[in-house]
Amino acid sequence: MDEIASPRLRNLVIVLGDQLDLDGSAFDGFDPAQDAVWMAEAMEESTHIASGKQRTALFLAAMRHFAQALQEKDWPLIYTRIDDPANRGSLAGELSAALEQWAPEHVVMTAPGDWRVWQSIKLAVAAAGLQLEVREDRHFFTTVRDFAAHAKGRKQLRLEFFYREQRKRHGVLMAPDGQPEGGQWNFDADNRESFGAKGPGMLPPRSRFEPDATTREVMAWVNHHMADHPGSLESFAWPVTRAQALQALQTFVEERLPLFGRFEDALWPGEPWLYHSQLSAALNLKLLRPQEAVQAAEAAYRAGKVPLASAEGFIRQIMGWREYVRGIYWTQMPGYLERNALDAQQPLPDWYWTGHTDMACLKDAISQTLQHGYAHHIQRLMVTGLFALLLGVRPQAVHAWYLGVYVDAVEWVELPNTLGMSQYGDGGLMASKPYVATGKYIQRMGGPCSGCRYDPAQREGEKACPFTTLYWDFLMRHEPLLAKNPRMALQVKNVGRMSEAQREAVVQRANAIRSGEVGLAA
């Protein structure tokens, strides 16, 4: 820790691993002569769920680089490393010790992104006889109160209405006459192309940031002390500083954004990056501000460098979907975590932690996830997430996997996307219907079906694609519920065309998959 000039500490400013922004609200009015920053690496943050090596290494490396930035400003810093022999292993334990040692008058922080962490910090501060001042997180376009006001009185919450409000409010992609650019709000229908039989061709290389000495030290520690955690660090090259995050944004806008919209839903075997931004981790750690990302995309469109459909599709993810899920999380927690509207009770297959499955699309998506700590949104929603939904996996188990394996996973954004959007565990609060499909969807979008032992066109028999079998089984199991949903009417109607013999064959095959009688592990 740096020398603290004041004999009595005025403010102890808490900075968490996903709050790495020197302009964060917690620093408003910061006076190095009488305030200090508190940061702590805690093993509990990597063990309350099985945090993957890439995820843990990213958080620790980014935190240490941020600590260096604070020290360069000569700001007093209380920092506990994870390898400190005196480390108590939890954020609450470290904070309690710091409060006892330094006896600040006030404790200040920017609003956190995890309910569990927030509760533990509140308890530690209260136990010290102090009050916690939680300041609004300016990182976002909206506040939780804004979202609550939007949601009040609505029978249903839908992203599209929220998104349009934000576009108008912030004047993003708006024409001079007050209408949306291009005459429509949403170009999603234009953003669903696949690469076709020839594939994507030459792709821009990944934005790589070679680990420096600080990051290499973190990687060595993780490899040694977390050897049994998921994944590998061989490919680690994520941005861990603000300068790197800004460079990654510029590279994306110049090299990937022009074709992002057109192919944002496409798949291709062995190609993890395609035209996706790879910016979510930098955004979620607050190394990059969403306003910067949106401004860069809109500026590229207005300069004629990016098609409107690509700019709009990216902006919708940032100022639409990202803000929307945050509102869902903070207005619905803590009860949201336990929702299970479909009463799904299956365990998560063990091969989700290894990628050792004979289903080509899942092997590709999971192996890539473990290798890089990354998968794009269609792989998460319509491959790994879809299979878990169709199989009937308990959504809390799916949530724990997603929270652990992805580098961008912070609970405020991961939980609603997983439990709500992917698993329909909230019964339709997040999504207007369950996102279910047969293996034909994965094949159509460019999945590795040609090299798979299963046939996505078959729903019965040994060659039947498990996605296809489980899709029809899902519709039958939940037919009474789904029949009430207008967006599922056609799919449910198709179930009615099946004969009793076809139904029985599907059910038997699906039960065999769930019981393990049909082995999917490689």
Side-chain angles (χ1 to χ4, degrees), residues 17 20 39-43 45-46 53-68 79-83 87 214-215 217-219 221-222 226 236 240 285:
L20 309 181
M39 299 178 69
E41 303 169 2
M43 192 65 174
E45 297 309 299
S46 292
K53 294 185 181 71
Q54 292 254 349
R55 179 177 182 266
T56 295
L58 174 60
F59 271 77
L60 295 183
M63 288 175 69
R64 292 187 188 182
H65 283 90
F66 188 75
Q68 291 170 5
Y79 193 102
T80 306
R81 288 174 38 141
I82 202 166
D83 54 3
N87 191 310
T214 298
T215 300
E217 181 184 22
V218 166
M219 292 167 65
W221 187 92
V222 170
M226 301 178 65
F236 189 94
V240 295
L285 268 61

Side-chain angles (χ1 to χ4, degrees), residues 163-200:
Y163 170 57
R164 293 181 185 185
E165 285 183 3
Q166 300 319 305
R167 287 267 299 276
K168 293 176 185 176
R169 179 181 180 183
H170 296 282
V172 173
L173 285 182
M174 299 299 292
D177 63 358
Q179 296 301 306
E181 283 288 329
Q184 63 190 73
W185 293 101
N186 186 317
F187 289 84
D188 193 41
D190 299 332
N191 294 349
R192 298 173 181 172
E193 289 190 42
S194 66
F195 293 114
K198 293 183 178 180

Side-chain angles (χ1 to χ4, degrees), residues 120-141:
S120 68
I121 288 174
K122 285 200 301 183
L123 288 173
V125 173
L130 296 167
Q131 288 189 336
L132 177 64
E133 180 186 345
V134 180
R135 297 177 179 173
E136 196 67 61
D137 192 343
R138 292 194 295 262
H139 172 82
F140 296 92
F141 283 93

Side-chain angles (χ1 to χ4, degrees), residues 318-333:
I318 303 297
M319 74 178 305
W321 196 246
R322 191 168 180 268
E323 302 278 328
Y324 184 75
V325 298
R326 177 175 179 252
I328 292 285
Y329 180 83
W330 285 110
T331 57
Q332 299 299 317
M333 284 296 282

Side-chain angles (χ1 to χ4, degrees), residues 150-161:
H150 165 85
K152 187 176 181 180
R154 293 179 184 264
K155 293 181 179 179
Q156 290 182 321
L157 294 176
R158 292 294 172 257
L159 166 68
E160 184 64 24
F161 303 118

Side-chain angles (χ1 to χ4, degrees), residues 287-358:
L287 297 174
L288 186 66
R289 299 179 190 118
Q291 295 85 352
E292 294 168 327
V294 167
Q295 289 164 6
E298 181 171 16
Y301 159 68
R302 296 199 181 278
K305 299 177 180 179
V306 170
L308 178 57
S310 283
E312 188 280 319
F314 177 68
I315 287 170
R316 181 163 16 101
Q317 287 188 344
I318 303 297
M319 74 178 305
W321 196 246
R322 191 168 180 268
E323 302 278 328
Y324 184 75
V325 298
R326 177 175 179 252
I328 292 285
Y329 180 83
W330 285 110
T331 57
Q332 299 299 317
M333 284 296 282
Y336 193 80
L337 179 59
E338 298 306 320
R339 293 195 184 186
N340 189 355
L342 299 179
D343 193 29
Q345 300 296 339
Q346 282 287 122
L348 188 73
D350 290 343
W351 42 261
Y352 264 70
W353 298 103
T354 64
H356 298 159
T357 175
D358 62 2

Side-chain angles (χ1 to χ4, degrees), residues 158 420-421 424 428 430-436 485 487-488 491:
R158 292 294 172 257
M421 183 70 175
Y424 203 69
M430 270 281 291
S432 58
K433 67 170 186 173
Y435 279 81
V436 292
N485 188 324
R487 294 196 66 196
M488 296 295 297
Q491 290 167 286

Side-chain angles (χ1 to χ4, degrees), residues 13-16 18-30 37 66 69-70 73 75 108-111 135-140 242-243 246 285-292:
V13 177
I14 295 173
V15 173
L16 301 175
D18 62 338
Q19 298 181 331
L20 309 181
D21 181 3
L22 287 171
D23 293 321
S25 60
F27 293 123
D28 290 353
F30 188 88
V37 181
F66 188 75
L70 292 171
K73 292 173 69 72
W75 284 7
V108 177
M109 72 181 302
T110 298
R135 297 177 179 173
E136 196 67 61
D137 192 343
R138 292 194 295 262
H139 172 82
F140 296 92
R242 173 153 171 77
L246 289 169
L285 268 61
K286 314 297 173 56
L287 297 174
L288 186 66
R289 299 179 190 118
Q291 295 85 352
E292 294 168 327

